[in-house]
């Protein structure tokens, strides 16, 4: 398979990069000085696979520029950076990396909730600055026993629910339809869910329907004592409305792993102590990074050996 051209859209994982180089003819899009359209035109006949992620996937222009493209393998579970309609139209296979990152993302979601409520980051700065000498830290809020709402009860949402249950939290959720075999309370209306929970987790896929699913109405329903945790995608949240709500005290706090215009984050958030910000690291552990890379490789090898894909999307 060393003669099969694979295009990697941006740096993702050194391990993945090395594995691709060992098995395929690897093209690194970011390593070439030529404009992207010129580069794709030059190598269009050679490239049969694209490996993308949450930053750069395979849009319609890229797909149309690669007439011999057979498969797009995403180094992520999310598919919002891939034009699935164009892939389906052209008969291009698509895979992603579900399951292997579920635990890490759910862990981070719970970690963000704990960090916001218990003011862990503020406590850390309090100790490091030497302020403890001047008096004790202010009281925080507990996580155990809180009412938790989850938008999207898929793999990650269910894993968050399972973890929250261990903290004796009451779980409710919103999804496209009511899930069978669960005792969690279902809300068909997101505003009602937000009004009835203290912590709201965003864990759904990003689609046209879920773009800005967290709007002013939802934020105001969650209220000045509510906490928003987003480990989904930045575009799930109307970011200007979120910033305004936090600055005006209409929302109690937030834990964010994702943002609308990554890596740019609204500077108004930097001085707020009721939020915790992390740089889209939900699945970024050594163990999961390797497992995701291995799954990308396995899907590519299966495709080019004419075997069933391990995690097919299309």
């Amino acid at each position: 398979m060393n003669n099969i051209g694979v295009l990697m859209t941006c740096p993702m994982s050194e391990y993945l990069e090395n594995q691709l180089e060992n098995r395929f003819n690897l093209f690194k899009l970011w390593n070439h000085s030529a404009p992207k359209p010129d580069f794709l035109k030059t190598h269009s006949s050679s490239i049969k696979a694209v490996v993308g992620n949450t930053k750069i996937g395979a849009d319609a222009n890229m797909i149309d520029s690669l007439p011999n493209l057979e498969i797009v393998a995403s180094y992520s579970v999310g598919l919002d950076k891939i034009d699935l309609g164009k892939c389906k139209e052209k008969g291009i296979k698509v895979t992603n990396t579900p399951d292997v990152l579920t635990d890490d993302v759910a862990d981070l979601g719970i970690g963000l909730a704990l960090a916001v409520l218990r003011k862990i980051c503020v406590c850390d700065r309090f100790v490091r600055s030497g302020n403890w000498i001047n008096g004790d830290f202010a009281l925080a809020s507990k996580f155990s026993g809180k009412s938790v709402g989850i938008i999207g009860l898929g793999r990650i949402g269910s894993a968050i629910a399972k973890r929250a249950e261990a903290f004796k939290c009451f779980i409710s959720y919103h999804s496209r339809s009511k899930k069978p075999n669960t005792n969690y309370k279902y809300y068909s209306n997101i505003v009602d869910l937000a009004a009835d929970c203290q912590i709201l987790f965003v864990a759904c896929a990003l689609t046209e329907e879920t773009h800005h699913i967290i709007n002013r109405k939802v934020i105001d329903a969650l209220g000045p004592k509510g906490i928003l945790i987003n480990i989904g995608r930045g575009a799930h949240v109307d970011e200007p409305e979120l910033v305004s709500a936090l600055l005006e005290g209409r929302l109690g706090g937030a834990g964010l792993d994702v943002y609308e215009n990554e890596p740019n984050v609204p500077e108004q958030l930097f001085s707020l102590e009721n939020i915790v910000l992390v740089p889209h690291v939900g699945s970024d552990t050594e163990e999961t990074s390797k497992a995701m890379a291995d799954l990308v490789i396995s899907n590519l090898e299966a495709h080019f050996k004419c075997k069933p894909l391990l995690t097919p999307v299309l």
Side-chain angles (χ1 to χ4, degrees):
M1 288 186 286
N2 288 333
N3 62 334
I4 296 173
V6 174
L7 175 65
M8 198 174 188
T9 61
C10 62
M12 303 170 201
S13 154
E14 185 177 346
Y15 171 78
L16 174 59
E17 197 173 312
N18 291 337
Q19 294 301 309
L20 289 171
E21 282 183 319
N22 290 339
R23 291 168 168 79
F24 303 98
N25 178 20
L26 182 62
F27 297 91
K28 304 174 189 178
L29 186 58
W30 69 96
N31 262 3
H32 296 270
S33 57
K36 180 179 172 181
D38 294 343
F39 170 82
L40 293 176
K41 184 177 180 181
T42 300
H43 300 286
S44 62
S45 62
S46 302
I47 296 171
K48 294 186 176 182
V50 168
V51 175
N53 65 359
T54 57
K55 295 177 182 177
I56 305 177
D59 60 16
N61 289 334
M62 178 181 287
I63 294 167
D64 283 336
S65 300
L66 301 173
N68 294 326
L69 183 62
E70 298 179 13
I71 183 171
V72 177
S74 182
Y75 179 69
S76 72
V77 68
L79 301 164
D80 47 287
K81 297 297 184 181
I82 301 172
D83 191 322
L84 295 176
K86 179 67 71 171
C87 288
K88 189 174 183 179
E89 174 190 322
K90 289 181 170 286
I92 296 167
K93 303 295 184 183
V94 177
T95 65
N96 63 348
T97 57
D99 297 322
V100 294
L101 51 68
T102 297
D103 285 338
D104 279 350
V105 178
D107 287 350
L108 182 66
I110 296 296
L112 285 170
L114 285 165
V116 174
L117 287 163
R118 297 304 304 269
K119 302 181 181 179
I120 291 173
C121 297
V122 185
C123 283
D124 179 82
R125 292 194 295 271
F126 182 79
V127 174
R128 292 174 188 270
S129 66
N131 284 332
W132 196 7
I133 296 172
N134 302 319
D136 291 339
F137 188 77
L139 295 176
S141 182
K142 70 186 299 181
F143 176 63
S144 295
K146 287 281 195 295
S147 55
V148 166
I150 301 171
I151 300 176
L153 201 67
R155 295 180 180 90
I156 293 172
S158 296
I160 290 170
K162 183 178 180 181
R163 285 156 173 74
E165 278 189 299
F167 286 88
K168 300 178 182 179
C169 293
F170 175 78
I171 313 296
S172 53
Y173 73 98
H174 167 82
S175 62
R176 286 173 293 183
S177 59
K178 188 174 182 179
K179 303 291 184 181
N181 305 319
T182 179
N183 293 322
Y184 305 144
K185 186 174 181 180
Y186 172 69
Y187 286 82
S188 60
N189 185 289
I190 294 175
V191 175
D192 291 341
L193 172 66
D196 286 350
C197 71
Q198 295 166 290
I199 308 167
L200 183 62
F201 288 85
V202 183
C204 55
L206 180 60
T207 64
E208 290 182 5
E209 291 76 21
T210 62
H211 180 268
H212 283 189
I213 195 170
I214 305 298
N215 54 28
R216 187 184 181 97
K217 286 185 178 180
V218 174
I219 291 170
D220 285 346
L222 191 54
K225 293 186 178 181
I227 305 296
L228 176 69
I229 305 296
N230 189 7
I231 44 79
R233 288 290 182 268
H236 281 131
V237 177
D238 186 333
E239 204 163 79
E241 287 291 350
L242 174 64
V243 172
S244 296
L246 288 165
L247 291 174
E248 295 167 10
R250 290 185 289 109
L251 182 65
L256 306 174
D257 181 42
V258 290
Y259 311 87
E260 273 208 272
N261 189 29
E262 297 176 4
N264 301 302
V265 178
E267 293 184 3
Q268 302 100 307
L269 299 179
F270 295 165
S271 62
L272 300 180
E273 293 194 338
N274 58 338
I275 62 173
V276 175
L277 309 172
V278 294
H280 202 154
V281 293
S283 60
D284 288 2
T285 65
E286 292 181 3
E287 299 88 345
T288 293
S289 178
K290 182 178 182 300
M292 290 168 63
D294 287 339
L295 189 50
V296 168
I297 295 294
S298 296
N299 274 312
L300 290 175
E301 289 185 329
H303 172 75
F304 290 114
K305 290 178 180 178
C306 298
K307 295 181 178 180
L309 299 173
L310 280 73
T311 53
V313 176
L314 289 177

